[in-house]
Amino acid sequence: MSVDVRAMSLIEHLEGQIQVLVLAAHDMQEVIAACDALDREEEPGPLSDALATAIAVCYARPFSARNTVGPPLGKQWTPASGTPEREIHDWLLHERKKRYAHTDMEAGRLVLHAGDLESGFDGLVEVKAPFPRERLVQIRERAHYLHERLMAKAFVV
C-alpha cells in the first residue's frame, strides 16, 4: 500500500497547526494562573515580579516570530485597532519586549545604593516600577477569551 505524499504532507501540516493552537491556549492558561496569583500577592517583591514577567512572556509567546514549533499566531488572533482588547494586547507585547524579556535602559529598572550617611554603604537595591494591577482584570479576560477560541479552533482544524 503506497502512502500519498501529499496526504501525509497535509496531515503533518494540520498536526502542526493543532500543536501551535493548543500550545498557545495553554500559554493563555498560564497567563490566567499568573494573574490570579499576582492578584493574591499583597506585597511587591520577587514573587510579584516573577508573576508579572510570566504574564507578559506567556501572553506574547504565541505571537512571537521565534517559535520553532510553527508560525506565530496570525492576524486573526490580533484584536481590531482602536479597541480596548487591542490596547491591552499591544501593551503586553511592548512590556514583554521592553521590560520583561531584556535588561536594557528602557526596562524601568534601577540599582541604587542602600544605606545612610551615618552607617555608610549597606549594599545595593533594585528599584522598579510596579506592575499595574488595575490591568489584571482586562488581561485575564483577554487570555480567557483567547484560550476558549484557540481550543475551539484546534478541534476544527
Side-chain angles (χ1 to χ4, degrees):
M1 173 182 233
S2 70
V3 177
D4 184 357
V5 174
R6 286 181 295 173
M8 285 305 295
S9 179
L10 178 60
I11 290 169
E12 289 170 356
H13 174 73
L14 292 174
E15 287 175 345
Q17 280 186 308
I18 291 168
Q19 184 156 353
V20 166
L21 294 168
V22 172
L23 290 175
H26 284 273
D27 284 332
M28 295 307 128
Q29 282 185 312
E30 290 179 18
V31 170
I32 294 164
C35 284
D36 291 346
L38 183 56
D39 216 10
R40 290 188 299 269
E41 278 301 298
E42 294 181 18
E43 297 295 322
L47 181 55
S48 295
D49 293 342
L51 292 167
T53 300
I55 290 167
V57 170
C58 291
Y59 181 87
R61 188 167 34 215
F63 298 97
S64 172
R66 295 182 186 215
N67 289 330
T68 58
V69 173
L73 293 180
K75 293 201 182 292
Q76 75 267 27
W77 300 102
T78 301
S81 294
T83 63
E85 293 82 11
R86 179 60 176 265
E87 190 278 329
I88 201 69
H89 171 84
D90 290 346
W91 181 81
L92 282 163
L93 295 182
H94 179 267
E95 288 294 293
R96 179 245 166 236
K97 182 178 179 184
K98 291 298 180 185
R99 183 171 174 182
Y100 295 109
H102 307 287
T103 300
D104 57 26
M105 295 305 290
E106 294 182 47
R109 298 170 67 192
L110 295 171
V111 174
L112 301 175
H113 295 277
D116 56 48
L117 293 175
E118 289 182 22
S119 63
F121 177 71
D122 275 341
L124 300 169
V125 295
E126 177 187 24
V127 178
K128 65 173 89 175
F131 186 87
R133 290 172 183 253
E134 66 274 6
R135 290 188 174 264
L136 287 176
V137 170
Q138 194 178 11
I139 294 167
R140 191 183 291 113
E141 288 172 357
R142 176 78 186 138
H144 181 72
Y145 171 78
L146 277 173
H147 175 265
E148 296 299 316
R149 279 193 59 215
L150 288 160
M151 289 304 289
K153 180 70 174 171
F155 282 101
V156 173
V157 172

